[in-house]
Each structure stands twice: as C-alpha cells, then as structure tokens.
Amino acid sequence: DCRHAKPTFLKNINRGNGPSGICLSYLLSGYTPYLDPMAVHPNPILFRKLQEAKQLPITEQDLEFLCEGLEGRSGNPVAVLFDTLLHPNADLGFEFPSVLQWRLEKKHHIPHLVLGKATPGGAWHAMEGSMLTISLGIWMELPGVNYRDLTPGKRRSVSNDRATPDEISSYYKNYVKLMGLQKNFVDNTYVTSVQKLHRSHEKSTGDEKNTVNGQLNGDTHVPFSLFAENVVLATGAADSPARLGVEGEDLPYVFHSVRDLGVAVSCHSNLSSSPDPVLVVGAGLSAADAVLCALNHRVSVLHAFRKRADDPGLIFKQLPKTLYPEYHRVYHMMCSQVYPASPVANPTAPSPSLFPDYTSFPEHCVLSFQPDMHCVMRGSNGVLRVFKVSMVLVLIGTYPNLFFLKEQGQYLGLDPSKPISCRQNPVDINPYTFECNADPGLFAMGPLVGDNFVRFLKGGALGIASCLRKRLKHRIEKNRKLIAKEGGFNVIRSLDGVCFTSCCYKCCQLPCYL
C-alpha cells in the first residue's frame, strides 16, 4: 500500500521477486504440472499414488495424500514432495529427470503481481560474485527451463556443478523473460504497508493522495495502492543482519555483509597491504565466505566464534568434502590454527603469536569495538584479548525485515513473542497451503517458513498455487448455483459479502473475481 487516489483491485500480490516469487508467478500464470505419461518415479508408493489421478494436474490433487511417507531435508512436506517430483532421489546422488510434464493452460491463469525492490532475482543480485552456491546448479533451476541450457559451458565438473551468484541471478532474469512473466512483475518497488481493509475504507485511502506514510511524495517516488484478496510474503530472510549489540558496533570499520569485504579488497588495495588483520565474527557459511574472500586477496584473518571448533552443530560437518572443499579448508583451519589459550591472564607474559594468514578463536565473544580500531574479546576461560584490526565483518545471521506488517510480522511466528527467524521462529503456516495460521489470506514461503534452499522453496509455490486454484474453482461453482438461483442476474460477490455488478470491469478495466 503506497497510497494512490484510485486504488487498483487485484486477486493476488506476491511481495518478493526472488526465486520464490518467480516460481509462484510461473504456476499462477497457467503453467500446470501433470505426471509425465512416459516417466517412472523411483519411489513406487508415490508413483502408484500419482497414477491414481494422472489425468488431473498435481495442483488439483490431494497434496497431503501425496506427501504421506516422504522424507527429505525440509520440514515442509509439500517442499519435499515437489523436490522429489522435480529431482527424484537427488539426495542419493542421482540425477534422474523430472517426472512432471508442464502445460500452459490459460484457464488456470490467476491474475497477480510480483513486487520487488530490484529486478527479478532478489538477493542473488547482492551476493559476493566470487562465491559458489551451496546447492548444485541444477538444484537452483526453476520449472520449465534447464539451468544448463542458459549457462552453456559453465559446468565445472561432474562431481562439482555449483554456480556463482552472477550465473544464478542471470538465470532468474532470463527465466522471467523466457516464460513470458514480465507483465506480472513490478520492479524497483518498496512496499510500505500491508493491512486488512474493508470496503468502507476505500474512500479514506483514496484521500491520501501524494503521501507515503504521511510524508509528502518526492520526485523519485510514485505512490500507488493495490487491493488484493491474497498477499504472499516471499521476502527471504536476508534484509536485516543480526547484530552483536556491543559497544562500537556502529563504528565505520565494522560491517555486516560479505559484499562489503569484496568491495573493500577491490577498491582499497591498502587493505591487503595493511599489517592489521580483518576480524570475522561468526561460524556459518557467510563467515566462511568472508574468510575465503580475505585469504584470496592475501589479507590475514582473525576468526572469532562462540562454539567449540568440534561442535557437532557446525554446518561444515553436514557438507560432503568432495563437493565443498573450500568450506572444509576453512573448517580445517578453524580446528588446527587456534590461538593458544592461556589459563589465566598474565600481563607480564609475552602474547602468543598469531598465524601469518589465519588464526581462529573458538569459544570467544566480542565485548567491544574501539574507535582506535581495537577489538576486545573474551575467551571461555574469562581471559580478555585485544587486537588491532583493519576491518570487522560481523556475520552471525540475518532476519527478515517485515516492517510493513503490524508488529513487524511477529504475530505470525510459531512463537508470537519473538521476532520472525527462518531457523528459530519461522512463520506459522498450514503445511499444505502455506497460508498463515494467524492471518487467513496472507501466505508465506521460502526462508520465512524455514526453506533456505531454492530446491525446497519451490514447494511453497506449489502449495499456494494449489490452494488458490482449488478455492477459485469452488467459488466459481458456488456462484454458478447462486446466479441460477437468483434468476440469471449478473451478481458478483466479493469475499466480504459486498455485491458489485458487472460494470465494475468496465470502470476499472480490471476483471472482477467470483
């Protein structure tokens, strides 16, 4: 809602134009999945279920029935179902073809808009270009367009087919064009609020012309409003970096993005020539990416993290060595190049020396950052250590920015008393429709519901598209009976019970929805 004098009525709005939003737009645009009559799924039980209703598209079948008994690396059953239909037995290392056949059926088209802050691709445009994806390139692809077809000659090896962010963002932009989805996308758009309105509020929203949240509209912003029956949150979870909350975290040498390090080493050659190391805080993949980026530019690294180096919960233990050698290189250094621990603080004792390229500080927490670029850390034994650094990267996770919802969207979480977090507190949804349990008509998908990998976030698109198609079909059948009962008058009823005549289409130049 950006306040426009004449609001536009639409059926669905998808907030977020990353792979989640793109995949949902594909399914809502009439691209319909059927069981390929020539395909055989390696799971005999699932294959038998699919054959029972093979004449129906997957979106009209009972998803809960199809999901029974399936297991995978997502906690959302529809995500596991869609993944095994697109990539059968992928977790076992096989590369079987999809068992789905896609047909473009206009009768299944559901009008919608996809709003995004930039061009289609979402956060992939902002990632450090030298990194490689965690997932294989083929797992990053969306239905209907083979990833390798759009990235010829980019395959690295049979055992390592990972991609760079530049390749993936280019694939998503081209995908939107190839599938003819451009008309559904409104780029460079910021959503300022999402709220439930009744028809009686229509006049009041129209009176707020040329304002955005009460502020005068500037030359660089064109405000507008959209009224929709359904809204889908597909914003991802990388908008707001998690912070340590310590003294000095806002000093100019402290950053919260790997991309900032990439810019620094590219634009400021003195960083690599500085005798002071870069401090990386965190033990996840982003922190590992920062370590690798610094080492590749011959910048020495101090790496502080709260867990033990042998903690079984570290992500590195879940990654196969053959596919992720660079992350295992970082993990090996985390374990082997540890700063010597002192049992007690002794000011007169000489300080242990740092390793020349990388030194890890397990079970350390940062206490403060000082204006003179000194960082104060404390180890598990209580000993304080102070180091002068050239730059700090605090990479301890991210949170979605849901400022446009009431309570920052917190009321939607599994635990409404805590902020939304993709791991600790995802949005509470119906597992088969992805509709928010706390707010009917509002849907969520992707990292917001715990699916951080592209191969699984596509399940949200299947669940939402299936739900909306079934509801639309039910409403059409219900209104046909209503029209017949009322003697043929062309009466159209909105969800809140208000009646409109067919002239609404002529006035708005937009269809009215049954």
Side-chain angles (χ1 to χ4, degrees):
D1 172 16
C2 297
R3 306 293 187 243
H4 188 280
K6 184 178 181 182
T8 300
F9 291 82
L10 280 175
K11 189 163 187 67
N12 304 283
I13 295 176
N14 182 13
R15 203 283 190 188
N17 64 354
S20 295
I22 296 172
C23 188
L24 179 57
S25 180
Y26 176 79
L27 284 164
L28 295 181
S29 296
Y31 288 96
T32 309
Y34 290 84
L35 176 65
D36 187 335
M38 304 300 294
V40 177
H41 197 282
N43 183 324
I45 298 176
L46 175 60
F47 186 53
R48 193 178 308 120
K49 292 179 181 179
L50 293 168
Q51 286 183 308
E52 289 178 9
K54 58 184 177 183
Q55 76 282 0
L56 292 177
I58 303 298
T59 46
E60 293 185 13
Q61 296 188 35
D62 185 343
L63 297 185
E64 184 172 0
F65 172 66
L66 294 178
C67 289
E68 288 176 352
L70 296 180
E71 295 181 353
R73 297 183 182 179
S74 170
N76 293 314
V78 178
V80 176
L81 170 66
F82 204 26
D83 178 66
T84 193
L85 295 176
L86 293 170
H87 304 288
N89 281 6
D91 286 336
L92 299 179
F94 295 102
E95 196 174 312
F96 293 141
S98 169
V99 298
L100 297 180
Q101 182 183 81
W102 293 91
R103 305 174 192 171
L104 180 56
E105 298 178 333
K106 294 298 184 182
K107 65 179 180 181
H108 288 142
H109 176 267
I110 297 179
H112 63 281
L113 282 181
V114 182
L115 309 179
K117 292 189 293 186
T119 55
W124 288 97
H125 297 303
M127 293 186 183
E128 166 58 37
S130 63
M131 299 186 302
L132 290 178
T133 59
I134 295 298
S135 299
L136 300 180
I138 58 170
W139 290 351
M140 308 297 293
E141 69 185 19
L142 301 179
V145 179
N146 190 295
Y147 164 76
R148 291 180 184 139
D149 291 343
L150 292 186
T151 54
K154 295 293 179 68
R155 192 173 190 190
R156 289 165 175 80
S157 70
V158 174
S159 62
N160 190 348
D161 193 19
R162 294 157 64 196
T164 66
D166 287 341
E167 293 166 7
I168 295 301
S169 62
S170 175
Y171 168 81
Y172 292 144
K173 283 196 295 186
N174 290 329
Y175 180 93
V176 170
K177 296 176 183 177
L178 286 172
M179 296 293 99
L181 307 179
Q182 303 100 311
K183 61 183 178 297
N184 304 322
F185 283 73
V186 183
D187 303 335
N188 305 309
T189 301
Y190 288 81
V191 176
T192 59
S193 70
V194 173
Q195 53 186 302
K196 287 205 169 186
L197 299 177
H198 300 286
R199 296 295 177 183
S200 59
H201 296 159
E202 179 182 341
K203 185 179 185 300
S204 64
T205 59
D207 290 339
E208 298 176 16
K209 182 178 180 181
N210 293 330
T211 67
V212 179
N213 285 350
Q215 299 295 321
L216 287 176
N217 175 43
D219 294 336
T220 58
H221 299 89
V222 180
F224 63 93
S225 292
L226 294 172
F227 287 175
E229 293 182 13
N230 304 290
V231 174
V232 179
L233 303 176
T235 58
D239 283 335
S240 301
R243 298 172 61 87
L244 294 169
V246 300
E247 176 190 348
E249 193 167 1
D250 291 322
L251 289 170
Y253 68 92
V254 182
F255 298 86
H256 296 79
S257 168
V258 180
R259 191 174 184 85
D260 292 320
L261 177 60
V263 171
V265 295
S266 300
C267 301
H268 306 291
S269 57
N270 60 334
L271 187 65
S272 57
S273 61
S274 171
D276 301 321
V278 165
L279 171 64
V280 176
V281 182
L285 296 179
S286 294
D289 289 330
V291 170
L292 291 167
C293 179
L295 295 180
N296 289 340
H297 289 86
R298 298 182 180 179
V299 177
S300 58
V301 176
L302 306 184
H303 186 186
F305 46 96
R306 294 190 175 189
K307 294 183 177 181
R308 303 190 319 271
D310 61 349
D311 191 300
L314 289 175
I315 184 64
F316 311 101
K317 291 182 174 289
Q318 303 171 31
L319 303 177
K321 268 188 180 180
T322 53
L323 281 181
Y324 307 97
E326 76 279 25
Y327 288 127
H328 278 273
R329 174 193 170 199
V330 173
Y331 180 56
H332 176 73
M333 291 190 298
M334 289 168 64
C335 298
S336 62
Q337 296 182 210
V338 180
Y339 191 76
S342 302
V344 293
N346 184 356
T348 61
S351 299
S353 59
L354 298 169
F355 288 89
D357 57 347
Y358 170 97
T359 306
S360 75
F361 293 81
E363 299 182 86
H364 276 68
C365 62
V366 175
L367 296 184
S368 68
F369 302 108
Q370 301 300 318
D372 60 358
M373 302 184 77
H374 281 81
C375 172
V376 182
M377 297 188 294
R378 182 176 61 206
S380 59
N381 54 7
V383 174
L384 300 184
R385 296 188 171 91
V386 181
F387 296 96
K388 190 172 189 303
V389 297
S390 59
M391 184 178 187
V392 175
L393 278 300
V394 178
L395 303 168
I396 56 174
T398 57
Y399 290 94
N401 190 348
L402 301 176
F403 71 94
F404 50 86
L405 295 173
K406 67 176 182 180
E407 302 175 11
Q408 311 286 315
Q410 191 166 304
Y411 73 103
L412 300 172
L414 288 171
D415 184 348
S417 68
K418 298 179 180 178
I420 298 296
S421 166
C422 62
R423 287 186 174 85
Q424 283 79 31
N425 190 36
V427 173
D428 183 19
I429 57 167
N430 178 300
Y432 302 101
T433 66
F434 288 75
E435 188 170 27
C436 299
N437 288 325
D439 203 343
L442 188 65
F443 296 77
M445 62 187 300
L448 291 175
V449 299
D451 283 325
N452 297 294
F453 294 103
V454 173
R455 61 180 289 204
F456 293 118
L457 60 78
K458 291 174 282 192
L462 176 63
I464 295 169
S466 175
C467 173
L468 295 180
R469 286 183 181 178
K470 289 173 182 176
R471 287 183 182 178
L472 181 59
K473 183 179 179 181
H474 174 74
R475 196 185 310 173
I476 290 173
E477 292 174 352
K478 182 178 179 181
N479 279 276
R480 280 175 181 164
K481 296 177 182 178
L482 180 64
I483 290 173
K485 184 178 180 180
E486 297 188 6
F489 287 103
N490 188 10
V491 178
I492 299 172
R493 297 186 183 275
S494 69
L495 283 179
D496 56 12
V498 179
C499 297
F500 300 90
T501 63
S502 59
C503 71
C504 182
Y505 173 80
K506 298 174 183 176
C507 296
C508 301
Q509 297 301 308
L510 285 168
C512 294
Y513 302 99
L514 301 179

